[in-house]
Amino acid sequence: GWNNANVSVQLAATDGGSGVKQITYSASGAQTIAQTTVSGASTSVSITTEGTTTISYFATDNANNVETTKTVTVKLDKTAPGAPTGLTLTTATDSGSSNSDGITSNTAPTFTGSAEANSTISLFNGATQVGTGTTNGTGTFTVTISPALAQGSYSITAKATDAAGNTSAASTAKSLVIDTAASIISMGQITGSTSNGNGTINGTINEFATYTYVICAGAATSCTTPAASGSGSSAATTPFGWSIGYNLA
């Protein structure tokens, strides 16, 4: 497999007859080493160049019998991948008012993005891992949060780990809001003049939300043709306030 630190390859030989005279080795590929002969029954070869290096070696005994050449392959990768990019919720699991606002009712949403091809992707909320997956051959990943998260706000980042175990820096954080509960609206008293049909209705919503409304004239219990209707959004205060002005004159 791949290594993420310099490798020292130990070469050793035994001989039951005249004894080992010397070991001869060379290297080709990412790191080249000219044929080198070392006296004795053991030696070491240091591989420090990233990539794939093949070491060829054989032993010679004191009777000058030469062993068949053997090879060993060393793979070295000391460089961490770049941080993942484009981290975002998939449109299928972003259920907010737009499919790119990072708001969802899905407690196990799916993120997509790009990173080094064939790397392992880990999703984090702060320092806590909340999902893992892999990139394909072109570097695209799709990772689902697991286990599911509770309702609340999160800051999600991704890291990539290559086959050698090098881990990237964290991606740019993506805001995630999981909201599984319906908004609760409370309505206050009507203020203003009731003689000319003008007034204001005030109330609160327990969270930032958009709303629609209809106002029915008279004491009717049903409202097929409302006297007034519209929509709005609650203000960014706690509790979130809303106010509707109307004119029924």
Side-chain angles (χ1 to χ4, degrees), residues 54 74 76 91-92 96-97 100 103 129 140 149 159 183 188 202 212 234:
T54 299
V74 177
L76 183 60
T91 56
S97 57
S100 61
I103 300 174
Q129 184 172 307
T140 300
L149 298 174
K159 294 181 179 181
S183 302
N202 297 295
T212 60
S234 53

Side-chain angles (χ1 to χ4, degrees), residues 8-60:
S8 180
V9 179
Q10 304 299 311
L11 303 178
T14 59
D15 184 85
S18 61
V20 178
K21 176 183 179 181
Q22 62 194 28
I23 294 175
T24 301
Y25 66 86
S26 61
S28 59
Q31 182 172 331
T32 58
I33 301 175
Q35 190 173 84
T36 302
T37 299
V38 179
S39 298
S42 65
T43 189
S44 63
V45 182
S46 180
I47 302 300
T48 60
T49 302
E50 291 185 277
T52 301
T53 298
T54 299
I55 300 172
S56 302
Y57 61 97
F58 59 87
T60 303

Side-chain angles (χ1 to χ4, degrees), residues 14 28 36 54-55 57 77 82 95 97 109 138 141 146 178 181 188 192 195 222-223 246 249:
T14 59
S28 59
T36 302
T54 299
I55 300 172
Y57 61 97
D77 178 2
S95 62
S97 57
T138 61
F141 65 84
S146 179
I178 295 178
S195 60
S222 63
C223 189
Y246 66 90

Side-chain angles (χ1 to χ4, degrees), residues 2-211:
W2 286 90
N3 301 275
N4 59 13
N6 294 339
V7 177
S8 180
V9 179
Q10 304 299 311
L11 303 178
T14 59
D15 184 85
S18 61
V20 178
K21 176 183 179 181
Q22 62 194 28
I23 294 175
T24 301
Y25 66 86
S26 61
S28 59
Q31 182 172 331
T32 58
I33 301 175
Q35 190 173 84
T36 302
T37 299
V38 179
S39 298
S42 65
T43 189
S44 63
V45 182
S46 180
I47 302 300
T48 60
T49 302
E50 291 185 277
T52 301
T53 298
T54 299
I55 300 172
S56 302
Y57 61 97
F58 59 87
T60 303
D61 65 17
N62 287 301
N64 288 324
N65 296 304
V66 179
E67 171 188 29
T68 300
T69 299
K70 299 176 181 178
T71 61
V72 61
T73 298
V74 177
K75 296 180 178 181
L76 183 60
D77 178 2
K78 300 182 287 185
T79 304
T85 59
L87 184 67
T88 189
L89 279 178
T90 61
T91 56
T93 56
D94 191 327
S95 62
S97 57
S98 78
N99 59 14
S100 61
D101 59 7
I103 300 174
T104 182
S105 59
N106 190 328
T107 58
T110 300
F111 283 83
T112 186
S114 299
E116 182 175 301
N118 303 311
S119 61
T120 298
I121 300 298
S122 299
L123 298 182
F124 292 87
N125 172 47
T128 302
Q129 184 172 307
V130 293
T132 185
T134 57
T135 58
N136 60 21
T138 61
T140 300
F141 65 84
T142 302
V143 180
T144 299
I145 295 288
S146 179
L149 298 174
Q151 176 166 303
S153 297
Y154 301 89
S155 181
I156 304 299
T157 59
K159 294 181 179 181
T161 302
D162 63 21
N166 302 299
T167 299
S168 74
S171 68
T172 300
K174 174 67 175 179
S175 175
L176 171 65
V177 176
I178 295 178
D179 185 355
T180 59
S183 302
I184 301 173
I185 297 178
S186 63
M187 188 172 72
Q189 292 183 335
I190 296 175
T191 62
S193 171
T194 57
S195 60
N196 61 12
N198 297 319
T200 302
I201 305 173
N202 297 295
T204 60
I205 304 178
N206 69 319
E207 60 185 355
F208 181 81
T210 59
Y211 57 84

